[in-house]
Every structure is written in C-alpha cells, then in structure tokens.
mmCIF file of all heavy atoms in Angstrom:
data_model
loop_
_atom_site.group_PDB
_atom_site.id
_atom_site.type_symbol
_atom_site.label_atom_id
_atom_site.label_comp_id
_atom_site.label_asym_id
_atom_site.label_seq_id
_atom_site.Cartn_x
_atom_site.Cartn_y
_atom_site.Cartn_z
ATOM 1 N N PRO E 282 64.558 67.070 106.785
ATOM 2 C CA PRO E 282 64.757 68.514 106.841
ATOM 3 C C PRO E 282 65.400 69.016 105.557
ATOM 4 O O PRO E 282 66.316 68.402 105.013
ATOM 5 C CB PRO E 282 65.681 68.700 108.047
ATOM 6 C CG PRO E 282 66.384 67.398 108.184
ATOM 7 C CD PRO E 282 65.415 66.354 107.772
ATOM 8 N N ARG E 283 64.934 70.144 105.096
ATOM 9 C CA ARG E 283 65.451 70.732 103.878
ATOM 10 C C ARG E 283 66.795 71.398 104.159
ATOM 11 O O ARG E 283 67.006 72.017 105.193
ATOM 12 C CB ARG E 283 64.468 71.756 103.312
ATOM 13 C CG ARG E 283 63.152 71.152 102.885
ATOM 14 C CD ARG E 283 62.238 72.206 102.322
ATOM 15 N NE ARG E 283 62.851 72.842 101.160
ATOM 16 C CZ ARG E 283 62.281 73.842 100.504
ATOM 17 N NH1 ARG E 283 61.108 74.350 100.927
ATOM 18 N NH2 ARG E 283 62.878 74.358 99.456
ATOM 19 N N GLU E 284 67.687 71.266 103.203
ATOM 20 C CA GLU E 284 69.011 71.856 103.365
ATOM 21 C C GLU E 284 68.911 73.361 103.193
ATOM 22 O O GLU E 284 68.240 73.861 102.301
ATOM 23 C CB GLU E 284 69.954 71.270 102.306
ATOM 24 C CG GLU E 284 71.396 71.651 102.528
ATOM 25 C CD GLU E 284 72.285 70.987 101.502
ATOM 26 O OE1 GLU E 284 71.736 70.304 100.628
ATOM 27 O OE2 GLU E 284 73.507 71.176 101.569
ATOM 28 N N SER E 285 69.549 74.098 104.083
ATOM 29 C CA SER E 285 69.471 75.555 104.041
ATOM 30 C C SER E 285 70.239 76.088 102.838
ATOM 31 O O SER E 285 71.142 75.445 102.307
ATOM 32 C CB SER E 285 70.038 76.142 105.335
ATOM 33 O OG SER E 285 71.396 75.788 105.485
ATOM 34 N N GLU E 286 69.896 77.321 102.443
ATOM 35 C CA GLU E 286 70.538 77.944 101.288
ATOM 36 C C GLU E 286 72.025 78.200 101.506
ATOM 37 O O GLU E 286 72.830 77.981 100.609
ATOM 38 C CB GLU E 286 69.823 79.259 100.946
ATOM 39 C CG GLU E 286 68.430 79.067 100.404
ATOM 40 C CD GLU E 286 68.432 78.334 99.076
ATOM 41 O OE1 GLU E 286 69.425 78.456 98.338
ATOM 42 O OE2 GLU E 286 67.466 77.618 98.799
ATOM 43 N N PRO E 287 72.463 78.692 102.699
ATOM 44 C CA PRO E 287 73.906 78.891 102.897
ATOM 45 C C PRO E 287 74.708 77.616 102.735
ATOM 46 O O PRO E 287 75.794 77.616 102.174
ATOM 47 C CB PRO E 287 74.006 79.463 104.312
ATOM 48 C CG PRO E 287 72.669 80.106 104.551
ATOM 49 C CD PRO E 287 71.694 79.227 103.843
ATOM 50 N N SER E 288 74.153 76.470 103.242
ATOM 51 C CA SER E 288 74.882 75.214 103.135
ATOM 52 C C SER E 288 74.951 74.737 101.699
ATOM 53 O O SER E 288 75.883 74.039 101.308
ATOM 54 C CB SER E 288 74.223 74.146 104.005
ATOM 55 O OG SER E 288 72.880 73.939 103.581
ATOM 56 N N ARG E 289 73.947 75.104 100.909
ATOM 57 C CA ARG E 289 73.990 74.740 99.490
ATOM 58 C C ARG E 289 75.016 75.561 98.732
ATOM 59 O O ARG E 289 75.676 75.072 97.821
ATOM 60 C CB ARG E 289 72.617 74.952 98.853
ATOM 61 C CG ARG E 289 71.561 73.961 99.301
ATOM 62 C CD ARG E 289 70.255 74.247 98.572
ATOM 63 N NE ARG E 289 69.203 73.326 98.975
ATOM 64 C CZ ARG E 289 67.955 73.369 98.489
ATOM 65 N NH1 ARG E 289 67.634 74.303 97.605
ATOM 66 N NH2 ARG E 289 67.063 72.508 98.906
ATOM 67 N N SER E 290 75.134 76.839 99.078
ATOM 68 C CA SER E 290 76.042 77.719 98.347
ATOM 69 C C SER E 290 77.504 77.451 98.677
ATOM 70 O O SER E 290 78.377 77.704 97.850
ATOM 71 C CB SER E 290 75.704 79.185 98.631
ATOM 72 O OG SER E 290 75.844 79.452 100.016
ATOM 73 N N ARG E 291 77.790 76.927 99.902
ATOM 74 C CA ARG E 291 79.179 76.690 100.280
ATOM 75 C C ARG E 291 79.863 75.679 99.378
ATOM 76 O O ARG E 291 80.986 75.913 98.927
ATOM 77 C CB ARG E 291 79.246 76.247 101.747
ATOM 78 C CG ARG E 291 78.946 77.369 102.730
ATOM 79 C CD ARG E 291 78.849 76.837 104.142
ATOM 80 N NE ARG E 291 78.418 77.882 105.074
ATOM 81 C CZ ARG E 291 78.099 77.650 106.335
ATOM 82 N NH1 ARG E 291 78.160 76.403 106.809
ATOM 83 N NH2 ARG E 291 77.716 78.648 107.115
ATOM 84 N N PRO E 292 79.258 74.508 99.082
ATOM 85 C CA PRO E 292 79.941 73.576 98.177
ATOM 86 C C PRO E 292 80.157 74.175 96.794
ATOM 87 O O PRO E 292 81.174 73.905 96.153
ATOM 88 C CB PRO E 292 78.991 72.376 98.119
ATOM 89 C CG PRO E 292 78.189 72.455 99.376
ATOM 90 C CD PRO E 292 78.035 73.913 99.638
ATOM 91 N N ARG E 293 79.198 74.966 96.341
ATOM 92 C CA ARG E 293 79.367 75.573 95.018
ATOM 93 C C ARG E 293 80.540 76.526 95.004
ATOM 94 O O ARG E 293 81.343 76.529 94.076
ATOM 95 C CB ARG E 293 78.084 76.306 94.613
ATOM 96 C CG ARG E 293 76.892 75.379 94.405
ATOM 97 C CD ARG E 293 75.653 76.169 94.023
ATOM 98 N NE ARG E 293 74.493 75.302 93.861
ATOM 99 C CZ ARG E 293 73.277 75.745 93.579
ATOM 100 N NH1 ARG E 293 73.069 77.052 93.437
ATOM 101 N NH2 ARG E 293 72.283 74.895 93.432
ATOM 102 N N LEU E 294 80.659 77.368 96.030
ATOM 103 C CA LEU E 294 81.779 78.312 96.086
ATOM 104 C C LEU E 294 83.107 77.584 96.209
ATOM 105 O O LEU E 294 84.091 77.954 95.568
ATOM 106 C CB LEU E 294 81.584 79.272 97.264
ATOM 107 C CG LEU E 294 80.420 80.264 97.146
ATOM 108 C CD1 LEU E 294 80.292 81.077 98.422
ATOM 109 C CD2 LEU E 294 80.618 81.185 95.946
ATOM 110 N N SER E 295 83.135 76.532 97.027
ATOM 111 C CA SER E 295 84.383 75.785 97.189
ATOM 112 C C SER E 295 84.777 75.086 95.904
ATOM 113 O O SER E 295 85.963 75.005 95.567
ATOM 114 C CB SER E 295 84.236 74.760 98.318
ATOM 115 O OG SER E 295 83.199 73.826 98.019
ATOM 116 N N SER E 296 83.789 74.581 95.151
ATOM 117 C CA SER E 296 84.116 73.921 93.887
ATOM 118 C C SER E 296 84.633 74.915 92.859
ATOM 119 O O SER E 296 85.488 74.583 92.031
ATOM 120 C CB SER E 296 82.879 73.205 93.336
ATOM 121 O OG SER E 296 81.834 74.137 93.066
ATOM 122 N N ILE E 297 84.128 76.148 92.904
ATOM 123 C CA ILE E 297 84.621 77.178 91.977
ATOM 124 C C ILE E 297 86.083 77.476 92.243
ATOM 125 O O ILE E 297 86.902 77.553 91.318
ATOM 126 C CB ILE E 297 83.767 78.452 92.103
ATOM 127 C CG1 ILE E 297 82.351 78.207 91.557
ATOM 128 C CG2 ILE E 297 84.425 79.611 91.366
ATOM 129 C CD1 ILE E 297 81.418 79.385 91.752
ATOM 130 N N PHE E 298 86.456 77.635 93.512
ATOM 131 C CA PHE E 298 87.834 77.979 93.836
ATOM 132 C C PHE E 298 88.772 76.780 93.721
ATOM 133 O O PHE E 298 89.985 76.953 93.731
ATOM 134 C CB PHE E 298 87.916 78.572 95.245
ATOM 135 C CG PHE E 298 87.343 79.960 95.342
ATOM 136 C CD1 PHE E 298 86.101 80.185 95.924
ATOM 137 C CD2 PHE E 298 88.039 81.042 94.832
ATOM 138 C CE1 PHE E 298 85.569 81.463 96.005
ATOM 139 C CE2 PHE E 298 87.517 82.328 94.900
ATOM 140 C CZ PHE E 298 86.281 82.539 95.491
ATOM 141 N N LYS E 299 88.230 75.570 93.616
ATOM 142 C CA LYS E 299 89.060 74.390 93.419
ATOM 143 C C LYS E 299 89.214 74.039 91.947
ATOM 144 O O LYS E 299 89.837 73.031 91.617
ATOM 145 C CB LYS E 299 88.452 73.193 94.172
ATOM 146 C CG LYS E 299 88.548 73.301 95.685
ATOM 147 C CD LYS E 299 87.947 72.070 96.341
ATOM 148 C CE LYS E 299 88.038 72.169 97.860
ATOM 149 N NZ LYS E 299 87.426 70.981 98.528
ATOM 150 N N ALA E 300 88.657 74.837 91.072
ATOM 151 C CA ALA E 300 88.731 74.563 89.635
ATOM 152 C C ALA E 300 90.181 74.604 89.161
ATOM 153 O O ALA E 300 90.975 75.412 89.648
ATOM 154 C CB ALA E 300 87.885 75.575 88.857
ATOM 155 N N PRO E 301 90.557 73.726 88.217
ATOM 156 C CA PRO E 301 91.952 73.706 87.737
ATOM 157 C C PRO E 301 92.352 74.967 86.998
ATOM 158 O O PRO E 301 93.549 75.223 86.823
ATOM 159 C CB PRO E 301 91.981 72.478 86.805
ATOM 160 C CG PRO E 301 90.551 72.263 86.401
ATOM 161 C CD PRO E 301 89.729 72.683 87.585
ATOM 162 N N GLU E 302 91.372 75.767 86.539
ATOM 163 C CA GLU E 302 91.711 76.994 85.827
ATOM 164 C C GLU E 302 92.459 77.995 86.703
ATOM 165 O O GLU E 302 93.176 78.864 86.177
ATOM 166 C CB GLU E 302 90.452 77.653 85.272
ATOM 167 C CG GLU E 302 89.830 76.935 84.091
ATOM 168 C CD GLU E 302 89.031 75.715 84.511
ATOM 169 O OE1 GLU E 302 88.809 75.531 85.735
ATOM 170 O OE2 GLU E 302 88.630 74.948 83.628
ATOM 171 N N TRP E 303 92.296 77.884 88.028
ATOM 172 C CA TRP E 303 93.002 78.804 88.919
ATOM 173 C C TRP E 303 94.506 78.603 88.846
ATOM 174 O O TRP E 303 95.285 79.537 89.070
ATOM 175 C CB TRP E 303 92.512 78.643 90.354
ATOM 176 C CG TRP E 303 91.155 79.234 90.585
ATOM 177 C CD1 TRP E 303 89.981 78.566 90.738
ATOM 178 C CD2 TRP E 303 90.833 80.629 90.654
ATOM 179 N NE1 TRP E 303 88.939 79.446 90.895
ATOM 180 C CE2 TRP E 303 89.437 80.722 90.851
ATOM 181 C CE3 TRP E 303 91.579 81.793 90.568
ATOM 182 C CZ2 TRP E 303 88.781 81.938 90.969
ATOM 183 C CZ3 TRP E 303 90.932 83.015 90.676
ATOM 184 C CH2 TRP E 303 89.549 83.079 90.875
ATOM 185 N N ALA E 304 94.949 77.382 88.537
ATOM 186 C CA ALA E 304 96.387 77.150 88.357
ATOM 187 C C ALA E 304 96.901 77.910 87.143
ATOM 188 O O ALA E 304 98.012 78.460 87.164
ATOM 189 C CB ALA E 304 96.650 75.650 88.194
ATOM 190 N N LEU E 305 96.089 77.982 86.088
ATOM 191 C CA LEU E 305 96.474 78.754 84.915
ATOM 192 C C LEU E 305 96.545 80.240 85.242
ATOM 193 O O LEU E 305 97.480 80.936 84.808
ATOM 194 C CB LEU E 305 95.466 78.508 83.786
ATOM 195 C CG LEU E 305 95.685 79.276 82.482
ATOM 196 C CD1 LEU E 305 97.031 78.924 81.877
ATOM 197 C CD2 LEU E 305 94.558 78.989 81.502
ATOM 198 N N VAL E 306 95.570 80.734 86.016
ATOM 199 C CA VAL E 306 95.588 82.144 86.422
ATOM 200 C C VAL E 306 96.833 82.445 87.254
ATOM 201 O O VAL E 306 97.501 83.474 87.057
ATOM 202 C CB VAL E 306 94.312 82.485 87.209
ATOM 203 C CG1 VAL E 306 94.379 83.898 87.767
ATOM 204 C CG2 VAL E 306 93.079 82.322 86.328
ATOM 205 N N ALA E 307 97.158 81.547 88.174
ATOM 206 C CA ALA E 307 98.352 81.745 89.001
ATOM 207 C C ALA E 307 99.615 81.744 88.142
ATOM 208 O O ALA E 307 100.540 82.535 88.376
ATOM 209 C CB ALA E 307 98.431 80.649 90.062
ATOM 210 N N GLY E 308 99.671 80.865 87.139
ATOM 211 C CA GLY E 308 100.834 80.836 86.249
ATOM 212 C C GLY E 308 100.982 82.122 85.451
ATOM 213 O O GLY E 308 102.091 82.638 85.280
ATOM 214 N N ILE E 309 99.847 82.657 84.964
ATOM 215 C CA ILE E 309 99.890 83.916 84.213
ATOM 216 C C ILE E 309 100.369 85.057 85.100
ATOM 217 O O ILE E 309 101.206 85.883 84.695
ATOM 218 C CB ILE E 309 98.509 84.223 83.616
ATOM 219 C CG1 ILE E 309 98.147 83.184 82.553
ATOM 220 C CG2 ILE E 309 98.475 85.623 83.022
ATOM 221 C CD1 ILE E 309 96.746 83.326 82.010
ATOM 222 N N LEU E 310 99.865 85.120 86.325
ATOM 223 C CA LEU E 310 100.295 86.166 87.252
ATOM 224 C C LEU E 310 101.778 86.044 87.583
ATOM 225 O O LEU E 310 102.484 87.058 87.706
ATOM 226 C CB LEU E 310 99.457 86.095 88.532
ATOM 227 C CG LEU E 310 97.967 86.446 88.380
ATOM 228 C CD1 LEU E 310 97.249 86.267 89.715
ATOM 229 C CD2 LEU E 310 97.798 87.874 87.872
ATOM 230 N N ALA E 311 102.261 84.804 87.709
ATOM 231 C CA ALA E 311 103.680 84.609 87.991
ATOM 232 C C ALA E 311 104.547 85.092 86.826
ATOM 233 O O ALA E 311 105.583 85.740 87.027
ATOM 234 C CB ALA E 311 103.959 83.136 88.277
ATOM 235 N N VAL E 312 104.116 84.793 85.599
ATOM 236 C CA VAL E 312 104.866 85.250 84.419
ATOM 237 C C VAL E 312 104.871 86.774 84.341
ATOM 238 O O VAL E 312 105.901 87.399 84.052
ATOM 239 C CB VAL E 312 104.264 84.633 83.143
ATOM 240 C CG1 VAL E 312 104.886 85.271 81.901
ATOM 241 C CG2 VAL E 312 104.482 83.128 83.125
ATOM 242 N N LEU E 313 103.731 87.403 84.615
ATOM 243 C CA LEU E 313 103.665 88.861 84.594
ATOM 244 C C LEU E 313 104.572 89.476 85.661
ATOM 245 O O LEU E 313 105.202 90.520 85.428
ATOM 246 C CB LEU E 313 102.218 89.314 84.806
ATOM 247 C CG LEU E 313 101.237 88.988 83.675
ATOM 248 C CD1 LEU E 313 99.829 89.401 84.059
ATOM 249 C CD2 LEU E 313 101.660 89.664 82.378
ATOM 250 N N ALA E 314 104.642 88.825 86.815
ATOM 251 C CA ALA E 314 105.524 89.326 87.871
ATOM 252 C C ALA E 314 106.988 89.213 87.464
ATOM 253 O O ALA E 314 107.791 90.129 87.713
ATOM 254 C CB ALA E 314 105.267 88.555 89.166
ATOM 255 N N VAL E 315 107.350 88.110 86.817
ATOM 256 C CA VAL E 315 108.733 87.939 86.363
ATOM 257 C C VAL E 315 109.078 88.991 85.310
ATOM 258 O O VAL E 315 110.175 89.568 85.319
ATOM 259 C CB VAL E 315 108.929 86.511 85.812
ATOM 260 C CG1 VAL E 315 110.291 86.388 85.126
ATOM 261 C CG2 VAL E 315 108.815 85.489 86.929
ATOM 262 N N ILE E 316 108.148 89.256 84.386
ATOM 263 C CA ILE E 316 108.388 90.284 83.364
ATOM 264 C C ILE E 316 108.567 91.651 84.019
ATOM 265 O O ILE E 316 109.437 92.438 83.616
ATOM 266 C CB ILE E 316 107.215 90.306 82.363
ATOM 267 C CG1 ILE E 316 107.187 89.011 81.555
ATOM 268 C CG2 ILE E 316 107.331 91.508 81.427
ATOM 269 C CD1 ILE E 316 106.001 88.904 80.634
ATOM 270 N N TYR E 317 107.777 91.928 85.023
ATOM 271 C CA TYR E 317 107.869 93.219 85.705
ATOM 272 C C TYR E 317 109.224 93.383 86.384
ATOM 273 O O TYR E 317 109.812 94.470 86.390
ATOM 274 C CB TYR E 317 106.748 93.350 86.732
ATOM 275 C CG TYR E 317 106.722 94.679 87.444
ATOM 276 C CD1 TYR E 317 106.117 95.783 86.865
ATOM 277 C CD2 TYR E 317 107.303 94.824 88.704
ATOM 278 C CE1 TYR E 317 106.090 97.007 87.506
ATOM 279 C CE2 TYR E 317 107.290 96.045 89.358
ATOM 280 C CZ TYR E 317 106.686 97.134 88.760
ATOM 281 O OH TYR E 317 106.672 98.339 89.386
ATOM 282 N N VAL E 318 109.745 92.298 86.937
ATOM 283 C CA VAL E 318 111.031 92.380 87.632
ATOM 284 C C VAL E 318 112.185 92.483 86.639
ATOM 285 O O VAL E 318 113.124 93.270 86.839
ATOM 286 C CB VAL E 318 111.202 91.148 88.550
ATOM 287 C CG1 VAL E 318 112.619 91.110 89.137
ATOM 288 C CG2 VAL E 318 110.162 91.170 89.663
ATOM 289 N N LEU E 319 112.137 91.702 85.564
ATOM 290 C CA LEU E 319 113.259 91.663 84.624
ATOM 291 C C LEU E 319 113.265 92.849 83.667
ATOM 292 O O LEU E 319 114.333 93.256 83.204
ATOM 293 C CB LEU E 319 113.215 90.353 83.823
ATOM 294 C CG LEU E 319 113.379 89.068 84.639
ATOM 295 C CD1 LEU E 319 113.319 87.849 83.725
ATOM 296 C CD2 LEU E 319 114.697 89.079 85.418
ATOM 297 N N ASP E 320 112.088 93.366 83.339
ATOM 298 C CA ASP E 320 112.016 94.498 82.408
ATOM 299 C C ASP E 320 112.228 95.795 83.188
ATOM 300 O O ASP E 320 111.298 96.346 83.775
ATOM 301 C CB ASP E 320 110.661 94.498 81.702
ATOM 302 C CG ASP E 320 110.584 95.567 80.620
ATOM 303 O OD1 ASP E 320 111.630 96.155 80.294
ATOM 304 O OD2 ASP E 320 109.472 95.811 80.109
ATOM 305 N N ARG E 321 113.452 96.300 83.172
ATOM 306 C CA ARG E 321 113.777 97.476 83.974
ATOM 307 C C ARG E 321 113.085 98.725 83.459
ATOM 308 O O ARG E 321 112.727 99.615 84.233
ATOM 309 C CB ARG E 321 115.291 97.676 83.993
ATOM 310 C CG ARG E 321 116.054 96.530 84.669
ATOM 311 C CD ARG E 321 117.550 96.795 84.674
ATOM 312 N NE ARG E 321 118.272 95.717 85.347
ATOM 313 C CZ ARG E 321 119.595 95.682 85.491
ATOM 314 N NH1 ARG E 321 120.334 96.703 85.004
ATOM 315 N NH2 ARG E 321 120.176 94.672 86.096
ATOM 316 N N ASP E 322 112.905 98.819 82.141
ATOM 317 C CA ASP E 322 112.254 99.994 81.562
ATOM 318 C C ASP E 322 110.727 99.898 81.612
ATOM 319 O O ASP E 322 110.040 100.874 81.288
ATOM 320 C CB ASP E 322 112.683 100.169 80.100
ATOM 321 C CG ASP E 322 114.179 100.422 79.983
ATOM 322 O OD1 ASP E 322 114.744 100.981 80.934
ATOM 323 O OD2 ASP E 322 114.759 100.044 78.942
ATOM 324 N N HIS E 323 110.211 98.733 81.976
ATOM 325 C CA HIS E 323 108.768 98.492 82.048
ATOM 326 C C HIS E 323 108.067 98.835 80.721
ATOM 327 O O HIS E 323 106.966 99.390 80.700
ATOM 328 C CB HIS E 323 108.135 99.298 83.195
ATOM 329 C CG HIS E 323 108.707 98.973 84.537
ATOM 330 N ND1 HIS E 323 108.623 97.727 85.108
ATOM 331 C CD2 HIS E 323 109.408 99.742 85.421
ATOM 332 C CE1 HIS E 323 109.222 97.728 86.289
ATOM 333 N NE2 HIS E 323 109.719 98.939 86.508
ATOM 334 N N ALA E 324 108.760 98.502 79.629
ATOM 335 C CA ALA E 324 108.175 98.762 78.305
ATOM 336 C C ALA E 324 106.952 97.877 78.056
ATOM 337 O O ALA E 324 106.030 98.262 77.337
ATOM 338 C CB ALA E 324 109.224 98.524 77.217
ATOM 339 N N PHE E 325 106.962 96.699 78.663
ATOM 340 C CA PHE E 325 105.830 95.781 78.463
ATOM 341 C C PHE E 325 104.542 96.356 79.034
ATOM 342 O O PHE E 325 103.447 96.072 78.524
ATOM 343 C CB PHE E 325 106.146 94.435 79.120
ATOM 344 C CG PHE E 325 105.065 93.408 78.940
ATOM 345 C CD1 PHE E 325 104.955 92.687 77.763
ATOM 346 C CD2 PHE E 325 104.139 93.171 79.946
ATOM 347 C CE1 PHE E 325 103.947 91.740 77.598
ATOM 348 C CE2 PHE E 325 103.137 92.233 79.787
ATOM 349 C CZ PHE E 325 103.051 91.509 78.612
ATOM 350 N N TYR E 326 104.642 97.155 80.077
ATOM 351 C CA TYR E 326 103.460 97.675 80.757
ATOM 352 C C TYR E 326 103.091 99.092 80.305
ATOM 353 O O TYR E 326 102.277 99.740 80.954
ATOM 354 C CB TYR E 326 103.673 97.650 82.269
ATOM 355 C CG TYR E 326 103.706 96.248 82.839
ATOM 356 C CD1 TYR E 326 104.911 95.603 83.067
ATOM 357 C CD2 TYR E 326 102.535 95.568 83.104
ATOM 358 C CE1 TYR E 326 104.950 94.308 83.572
ATOM 359 C CE2 TYR E 326 102.547 94.273 83.611
ATOM 360 C CZ TYR E 326 103.758 93.652 83.835
ATOM 361 O OH TYR E 326 103.789 92.379 84.327
ATOM 362 N N GLN E 327 103.693 99.558 79.235
ATOM 363 C CA GLN E 327 103.285 100.842 78.695
ATOM 364 C C GLN E 327 101.916 100.727 78.034
ATOM 365 O O GLN E 327 101.464 99.636 77.667
ATOM 366 C CB GLN E 327 104.324 101.338 77.684
ATOM 367 C CG GLN E 327 105.655 101.702 78.325
ATOM 368 C CD GLN E 327 106.655 102.201 77.313
ATOM 369 O OE1 GLN E 327 106.378 102.262 76.123
ATOM 370 N NE2 GLN E 327 107.843 102.573 77.780
ATOM 371 N N SER E 328 101.259 101.864 77.886
ATOM 372 C CA SER E 328 99.875 101.864 77.412
ATOM 373 C C SER E 328 99.742 101.232 76.027
ATOM 374 O O SER E 328 98.815 100.445 75.774
ATOM 375 C CB SER E 328 99.321 103.288 77.383
ATOM 376 O OG SER E 328 100.109 104.119 76.534
ATOM 377 N N TYR E 329 100.675 101.537 75.126
ATOM 378 C CA TYR E 329 100.570 100.983 73.771
ATOM 379 C C TYR E 329 100.723 99.464 73.785
ATOM 380 O O TYR E 329 99.988 98.746 73.095
ATOM 381 C CB TYR E 329 101.642 101.605 72.872
ATOM 382 C CG TYR E 329 101.638 101.046 71.465
ATOM 383 C CD1 TYR E 329 100.688 101.457 70.535
ATOM 384 C CD2 TYR E 329 102.596 100.101 71.072
ATOM 385 C CE1 TYR E 329 100.672 100.934 69.254
ATOM 386 C CE2 TYR E 329 102.587 99.579 69.796
ATOM 387 C CZ TYR E 329 101.621 99.991 68.885
ATOM 388 O OH TYR E 329 101.607 99.474 67.618
#
C-alpha cells in the first residue's frame, strides 16, 4: 500500500520543528525579552 500524503508530511513537519536552529531562535527571543525588561526607557526598541 502506498503511503498517504498526510503521513508523509507529518515526519517532515516534525523534523522541521526539531531542528537545532530553534534553540538559537529561542535564545534570541530570550535576550530580547531581557533587554525589554531591563531597558526602562525602551530606547533599544525605538524606530531608529
């Protein structure tokens, strides 16, 4: 029997979300959150 398309796409999606690059994204978001909390004037998030 041929494997259905949904079953084929599930491993691909799971492998994408298990990529080690997501740890880097999480680290960047954590650093941005810390800057937001510590920077009271929020100068870092100004448009310029």
Side-chain angles (χ1 to χ4, degrees):
R283 296 181 60 183
E284 189 177 3
S285 61
E286 291 296 331
S288 60
R289 289 182 180 180
S290 61
R291 288 173 186 172
R293 294 179 182 177
L294 292 176
S295 61
S296 62
I297 291 175
F298 288 104
K299 290 181 180 179
E302 288 78 10
W303 286 106
L305 178 61
V306 174
I309 294 174
L310 293 177
V312 171
L313 292 176
V315 171
I316 293 175
Y317 183 83
V318 172
L319 297 180
D320 186 11
R321 296 181 179 180
D322 297 331
H323 301 298
F325 182 80
Y326 291 97
Q327 292 181 359
S328 59
Y329 178 78

